[in-house]
Amino acid sequence: MSRAFSWIGQILLYAAFAAFIGVFTRWPSYQHLQPDHALVKLSLIHHGQRVGECRQLSAEELEKLPPNMRAPMSCPRERSPILVEVDIDGDTVLRQAAQPSGLSRDGVASVYQRAEVPAGVHRFDIRLRDSARTEGFDYERIEVLELRPAQILVIDFNAGKGGITLQ
Amino acid sequence: MIRASSLAAWNSCERALDTLFGGALNPLRHLGALAFLFFLLLAISGVYLYAVFDTSVEGAWRSIDDLSRDQWWLGGLLRSLHRYAADAFVLVMLLHLAREWLHGHYRGFRRYSWLTGVPLLLFAFVGAIGGFWLKWDRLGQFSAIATAEMLDWLPIFSAAFTRNFLGNEAVSDRLFSLFVFVHIGVSLLLLFLAWFHVQRISHAEMLPSRPLALGATVALLTLALLSPVMSQAPADLSVAPGELAIDWLLLFIHPVMYATSPGWAWALSAGTLLLLFALPFATRSVRPPVARVDAANCNGCRQCFDDCPYAAITLLPHPDGKPGNEIAVVQGELCASCGICTGACPPSTPFRSVETLTPGIDMPQSPIGALRAQLEARLAAMGGDHRIVVFGCDHGARASTVEGTDVAAFSLLCTGMLPPSFVEYALRRGATGVVVTGCRENGCEFRLGNQWTGERLRGARQPRLRSRVPRERLRVAWADRGEEESLHAALRELRKLPRAVSGPIRRLQRGMR
């Protein structure tokens, strides 16, 4: 094989290697979110209610405890699982039940789900249940919102702000 | 079956590239060294990028974007080189993995190298993905959130990573310090593990030869100049990225996750890694006998120590107790049973006037003394005008295919097992020509067998073939299985030579008669 042919072949192969990298670092483009769609994220970290009622200890019971442990109330450690549902225009689009974290199930319960919805006006009905001691949902929020294309709507929970929040 | 046909296709590609590049410059034969080269390019360009990178929410995107716009001739070029070197690194690493799998280089003494190489995949992808977060554009936002969603799927994380990216106000400057830690820390871990990966091979090729390194670097620099990497729009966590120009080589796992689920993405990633880890244990192969040292004939010359491709030989004080004397000791679990040590051992010379030729280090399944005895017997039985000896190996072109009335063929464990003095010995015992063959250049099954043999025959490495051996009587034909035509061509050339060997060898032939 002639030296010139070898050189040309090598240059072409190096060019093919570079072209392969150059092409597949940007092509084909990836459509993460469909055009004219918005993204709804349900994300919350929440302590469920205690699974049982707190109880006032009697004087006799307190007497049996070491002096440094005589808390007047005795509360169960375990927390309730939480359940969240999101209806959009009457259809349940997001629904997740989450157990409390930790070996004693006394930690927070985490929920994360996402859904793509067409941009436009929608009716949101968000419900959260965080107590195993009562029936039905403990929190509910109904909103009618207009979502822009590519907008991200985050559904969260903040007890200090009145419960279910939208941002 | 699949592996055999894939290996045949791979070998065809390698040979095609051999014709253009030659074995020494063929990229497919130096994939590991190319990976180290690309890592070096990553490190050099990365140092500059780190120096100018602003680890803050406000500054991260701007500091990198400014490089491409205001300093394209240095910062922009290095930024593009950094990205493309990462792509090239992953690409050659995957090709390296595929090549070693196709050749079955994951069992036996190679198990350690395989098991320390597989985790490099994980570190490479984690480090590379972390790099996309740093520039904090739409692609970095997409990658960071996709990674967080994948991690949150695991039940061990009670705190949701995704909550770090719920809104612009959730992102703090400290997050970028974490990103830097992931990107650089994981890359350093990768380098540390790569050091382990090459521990059990000696003379490791840490960088390719200069022309190959130059070609690969110029290719990436040209790409960086012609198609510079630019940031996409700054990250905005209130807006979901729509259409993205994604780096498929490094970020493919994100679209896979969104097309399936985080569980499937984990199953694919962890399943692939587990499968690769399990591969060496899934197949059981019979371990061939390893090299054996004969204390009476080993003088601790260190030549086997220098030539062993797998660092399986160490030297310890000789049991004869003489001060300063050493003896070679073979570490069985590291030994490849290639016999290259025997080829390096000076007492392997067939000219020793001992009834049984015993070198300092030998292969029990293929003793060098037996080779001398067979060579003498075959030469004595051969008649005709030409008597040609072919020394080949069990992995390259089949020497047995050229066996004939005027050709005596011997297949060794590796061509590197051949002491070069056997060439001279054959000629002095009446051979009219000698062919030495083995795997293609830079394609030795045992890494260095044909390289050492070539250097020994040229007189560039101990033990040397003596200069008085007429080189026109010696043909070297590096050829793989299926390329036996190269041997026939070498034989045709030798048959054209006059029968009588001239010069000192002829006089010595007379003396031996």
Side-chain angles (χ1 to χ4, degrees):
Chain A
M1 180 180 296
S2 74
R3 197 172 173 79
F5 184 78
S6 170
W7 273 91
I8 292 167
Q10 287 187 37
I11 290 168
L12 285 177
L13 277 166
Y14 280 123
F17 174 68
F20 181 87
I21 290 174
V23 167
F24 289 107
T25 51
R26 56 190 55 141
W27 180 88
S29 59
Y30 171 64
Q31 192 71 44
H32 179 51
L33 183 69
Q34 294 301 312
D36 300 325
H37 274 63
L39 191 62
V40 176
K41 287 184 177 181
L42 169 64
S43 172
L44 55 91
I45 291 179
H46 178 56
H47 262 117
Q49 301 299 318
R50 297 183 191 279
V51 290
E53 295 279 3
C54 293
R55 183 173 64 83
Q56 183 84 40
L57 293 180
S58 64
E60 292 77 28
E61 287 172 316
L62 286 171
E63 191 68 28
K64 290 176 186 170
L65 292 170
N68 63 322
M69 295 179 68
R70 287 175 186 168
M73 301 292 284
S74 171
C75 296
R77 193 170 171 181
E78 187 178 343
R79 298 278 178 163
S80 302
I82 64 171
L83 172 67
V84 193
E85 289 181 353
V86 178
D87 289 359
I88 302 176
D89 301 328
D91 296 325
T92 303
V93 175
L94 300 172
R95 184 177 195 278
Q96 188 175 343
Q99 294 293 332
S101 59
L103 293 173
S104 304
R105 294 188 180 278
D106 58 345
V108 292
S110 303
V111 169
Y112 180 80
Q113 280 195 350
R114 63 202 294 282
E116 293 179 19
V117 295
V121 178
H122 297 285
R123 181 180 186 275
F124 290 84
D125 183 355
I126 305 144
R127 300 177 294 276
L128 184 142
R129 183 182 176 194
D130 70 349
S131 172
R133 287 179 279 136
T134 57
E135 290 298 317
F137 288 92
D138 303 285
Y139 298 89
E140 182 168 18
R141 180 166 176 177
I142 298 171
E143 291 281 347
V144 175
L145 298 170
E146 182 174 7
L147 297 181
R148 297 182 306 278
Q151 182 185 344
I152 298 175
L153 174 71
V154 178
I155 301 170
D156 200 348
F157 184 88
N158 187 333
K161 291 182 179 175
I164 295 165
T165 64
L166 300 169
Q167 50 181 303
Chain B
M1 185 66 184
I2 294 170
R3 208 179 77 183
S5 51
S6 303
L7 179 60
W10 180 279
N11 285 337
S12 300
C13 290
E14 272 192 355
R15 288 166 199 167
L17 263 61
D18 274 345
T19 58
L20 285 177
F21 291 85
L25 300 182
N26 184 343
L28 290 182
R29 295 192 186 279
H30 303 277
L31 291 165
L34 278 172
F36 275 110
L37 169 74
F38 294 135
F39 193 89
L40 182 66
L41 293 178
L42 279 166
I44 292 169
S45 52
V47 165
Y48 185 83
L49 294 176
Y50 183 64
V52 299
F53 181 66
D54 183 344
T55 52
S56 69
V57 181
E58 296 299 319
W61 181 84
R62 197 182 58 247
S63 62
I64 296 298
D65 189 61
D66 283 353
L67 284 179
S68 297
R69 298 188 191 283
D70 303 337
Q71 203 193 48
W72 65 267
W73 46 274
L74 177 64
L77 193 66
L78 286 173
R79 178 198 175 179
S80 301
L81 182 67
H82 194 70
R83 163 79 84 82
Y84 292 139
D87 289 301
F89 177 75
V90 166
L91 200 59
V92 296
M93 192 173 63
L94 292 173
L95 288 172
H96 179 55
L97 180 86
R99 185 181 191 274
E100 299 310 303
W101 173 70
L102 289 172
H103 281 92
H105 292 173
Y106 51 82
R107 310 176 268 235
F109 69 95
R110 290 187 175 98
R111 185 188 289 177
Y112 171 88
S113 301
W114 179 267
L115 293 177
T116 51
V118 169
L120 295 179
L121 281 175
L122 178 68
F123 285 94
F125 278 107
V126 171
I129 290 171
F132 283 90
W133 310 338
L134 287 171
K135 60 197 179 88
W136 205 229
D137 62 353
R138 290 291 168 88
L139 186 60
Q141 170 189 343
F142 162 73
S143 176
I145 292 172
T147 307
E149 288 179 358
M150 195 166 159
L151 286 171
D152 278 347
W153 183 85
L154 295 172
I156 53 173
F157 298 115
S158 61
F161 283 106
T162 41
R163 292 188 64 78
N164 291 308
F165 307 105
L166 284 183
N168 290 316
E169 66 285 353
V171 178
S172 69
D173 293 352
R174 283 191 302 172
L175 191 64
F176 286 87
S177 299
L178 176 69
F179 288 171
V180 169
F181 178 77
V182 170
H183 185 53
I184 298 179
V186 170
S187 301
L188 289 175
L189 277 174
L190 185 150
L191 183 65
F192 186 54
L193 198 59
W195 177 75
F196 279 100
H197 182 55
V198 297
Q199 274 305 294
R200 288 200 178 175
I201 55 173
S202 57
H203 306 277
E205 191 185 19
M206 300 304 287
L207 284 175
S209 58
R210 194 173 293 178
L212 181 55
L214 198 63
T217 307
V218 168
L220 292 187
L221 276 172
T222 308
L223 177 63
L225 275 171
L226 296 178
S227 181
V229 173
M230 303 295 286
S231 292
Q232 300 183 25
D236 180 354
L237 294 173
S238 65
V239 177
E243 189 174 2
L244 288 165
I246 191 172
D247 188 328
W248 290 93
L249 297 173
L250 302 177
L251 299 177
F252 71 93
I253 194 68
H254 299 330
V256 166
M257 183 187 80
Y258 286 119
T260 54
S261 70
W264 275 107
W266 277 114
L268 178 72
S269 315
T272 304
L273 282 176
L274 285 175
L275 192 69
L276 292 171
F277 271 124
L279 212 53
F281 306 100
T283 51
R284 194 173 287 273
S285 56
V286 179
R287 188 80 198 271
V290 300
R292 196 167 53 202
V293 176
D294 185 77
N297 286 285
C298 178
N299 61 7
C301 70
R302 306 180 78 95
Q303 281 179 214
C304 57
F305 171 83
D306 289 340
D307 282 8
C308 177
Y310 298 100
I313 294 172
T314 50
L315 287 156
L316 293 177
H318 201 286
D320 64 12
K322 291 178 184 170
N325 272 14
E326 288 183 316
I327 187 172
V329 176
V330 177
Q331 296 183 57
E333 73 277 13
L334 307 184
C335 180
S337 308
C338 62
I340 290 176
C341 48
T342 308
C345 184
S348 291
T349 176
F351 290 107
R352 288 172 64 199
S353 44
V354 287
E355 192 173 336
T356 306
L357 178 62
T358 309
I361 188 164
D362 205 359
M363 302 309 297
Q365 68 273 47
S366 182
I368 207 73
L371 179 67
R372 184 177 76 167
Q374 289 164 13
L375 177 64
E376 288 171 352
R378 292 296 311 279
L379 284 172
M382 286 166 82
D385 287 344
H386 292 281
R387 289 190 289 274
I388 302 173
V389 174
V390 178
F391 293 111
C393 77
D394 294 344
H395 301 275
R398 289 182 182 84
S400 58
T401 59
V402 295
E403 180 86 38
T405 53
D406 64 343
V407 178
F410 301 92
S411 189
L412 308 175
L413 301 171
C414 171
T415 307
M417 187 183 171
L418 179 73
S421 47
F422 266 76
V423 175
E424 183 180 351
Y425 190 75
L427 292 171
R428 281 166 62 169
R429 283 277 169 174
T432 57
V434 175
V435 177
V436 175
T437 181
C439 308
R440 273 191 175 225
E441 191 185 2
N442 287 93
C444 175
E445 174 68 11
F446 300 107
R447 296 183 57 238
L448 302 169
N450 53 9
Q451 184 185 335
W452 289 169
T453 304
E455 291 177 10
R456 289 170 190 163
L457 295 177
R458 288 196 303 274
R461 187 179 193 85
Q462 293 280 8
R464 298 185 175 93
L465 178 63
R466 286 194 279 199
S467 58
R468 66 183 179 193
V469 175
R471 292 313 199 257
E472 73 275 9
R473 298 280 164 177
L474 172 65
R475 290 289 181 279
V476 178
W478 302 128
D480 283 344
R481 288 274 158 115
E483 297 180 315
E484 284 75 19
E485 177 50 33
S486 301
L487 305 189
H488 288 289
L491 291 173
R492 280 195 296 273
E493 288 178 19
L494 288 175
R495 287 184 183 119
K496 288 178 189 167
L497 294 176
R499 181 187 167 185
V501 178
S502 59
I505 291 289
R506 189 178 184 189
R507 290 194 291 279
L508 289 164
Q509 277 180 343
R510 287 184 190 136
M512 288 188 90
R513 284 186 203 124

